Amino acid sequence: MMSERALEAERDAIVAALTPVVDGLVATFGPVCEVVLHDYRNPDKSVVALAGSVTGRAVGGAMSEIGMRIVSRGDAAGDELNYVTRTQAGRTVKSSTMVLRDSTGTVFGALCVNLDVTAASEAHALLGALAGIGGTPAELPVTTFGDDIDSVVDAILDTHRHQPWGALDRAERLTLFRSLDDRGVFAVRRAIEQVATRLGISRASAYSYLSQARATTTDSDTGAE
């Protein structure tokens, strides 16, 4: 079995080998392409290489909402390929996120390719309208990108808070925590404190709701009564 030091060296080598690939892909696909190399060993500054500018991030920036979801799934995380989302600025982005694993199967990073297909989507809609076959486009989910973890967590919270905390009943509060957990928010260090502050509750209460939300999810998955 490899030592932890040897595994760290292996992970470093994988990141180093992929770094020039980032520039190569963007040079191939042009200005609508952005490629981001993440090292989740440092989630607050997971962006270790980047080329192109689609999501507005920079080297040294934090992982995105998608990264949070991958980290929360751990080694069970898989590649997420050819999905379409919308940035907070309204750009339509087609992406693929490929997880990085060491020789033990441990997930420690990801290579992400983002294509700004806004212009292509608008042209497609226009041609469909001219041909008389246009329909109402499906509403795309908004993906939160940011250069620091706190801003990403805040943006996710903003998409969930339609009522003040005091107006939610117990079931709604558990649903909120379950949804945040599903989106990987609580895989982030300090997130529980940030969520508690935003909701105006104690950290102990936040931990309690998270524990209850996870327990009810487990019961549902196993068919427990």
Side-chain angles (χ1 to χ4, degrees):
M1 181 178 293
M2 295 180 68
S3 67
E4 186 59 32
R5 178 178 295 182
L7 285 172
E8 284 295 292
E10 179 186 29
R11 295 163 191 155
D12 290 341
I14 293 171
V15 170
L18 286 173
T19 297
V21 174
V22 170
D23 290 317
L25 287 172
V26 170
T28 301
F29 289 103
V32 298
C33 180
E34 173 190 85
V35 180
V36 187
L37 180 60
H38 288 278
D39 186 339
Y40 294 146
R41 290 175 292 178
N42 187 3
D44 288 333
K45 297 182 179 180
S46 73
V47 179
V48 293
L50 181 146
S53 181
V54 172
T55 61
R57 287 174 294 172
V59 171
M63 61 183 175
S64 69
E65 176 185 345
I66 297 164
M68 291 180 185
R69 187 164 65 241
I70 290 174
V71 170
S72 71
R73 292 173 180 170
D75 298 340
D79 297 340
E80 298 189 21
L81 306 176
N82 204 36
Y83 55 91
V84 180
T85 60
R86 182 165 49 89
T87 69
Q88 291 177 293
R91 308 299 293 176
T92 302
V93 180
K94 184 171 76 167
S95 305
S96 287
T97 299
M98 294 145 284
V99 299
L100 306 182
R101 300 178 189 272
D102 62 25
S103 57
T104 68
T106 298
V107 172
F108 70 93
L111 180 67
C112 305
V113 179
N114 302 311
L115 294 176
D116 185 342
V117 295
T118 306
S121 297
E122 292 172 348
H124 182 271
L126 175 60
L127 290 172
L130 290 173
I133 57 174
T136 302
E139 184 68 21
L140 295 173
V142 176
T143 298
T144 306
F145 299 98
D147 269 333
D148 66 271
I149 287 291
D150 290 349
S151 66
V152 175
V153 173
D154 275 340
I156 294 173
L157 271 170
D158 287 341
T159 66
H160 283 79
R161 290 202 64 196
H162 305 299
Q163 290 180 285
W165 176 256
L168 302 179
D169 61 26
R170 180 178 179 278
E172 291 169 331
R173 293 178 180 187
L174 290 176
T175 297
L176 171 61
F177 271 82
R178 190 177 302 112
S179 180
L180 293 174
D181 198 28
D182 288 343
R183 294 179 74 170
V185 168
F186 298 113
V188 177
R189 190 173 65 251
R190 308 186 313 273
I192 195 76
E193 291 86 351
Q194 188 176 350
V195 169
T197 299
R198 284 290 306 274
L199 297 178
I201 61 178
S202 69
R203 185 173 63 174
S205 292
Y207 274 115
S208 176
Y209 276 107
L210 177 58
S211 177
Q212 294 175 62
R214 287 175 171 172
T216 55
T217 299
T218 301
D219 289 345
S220 175
D221 291 341
T222 58
E225 294 294 335

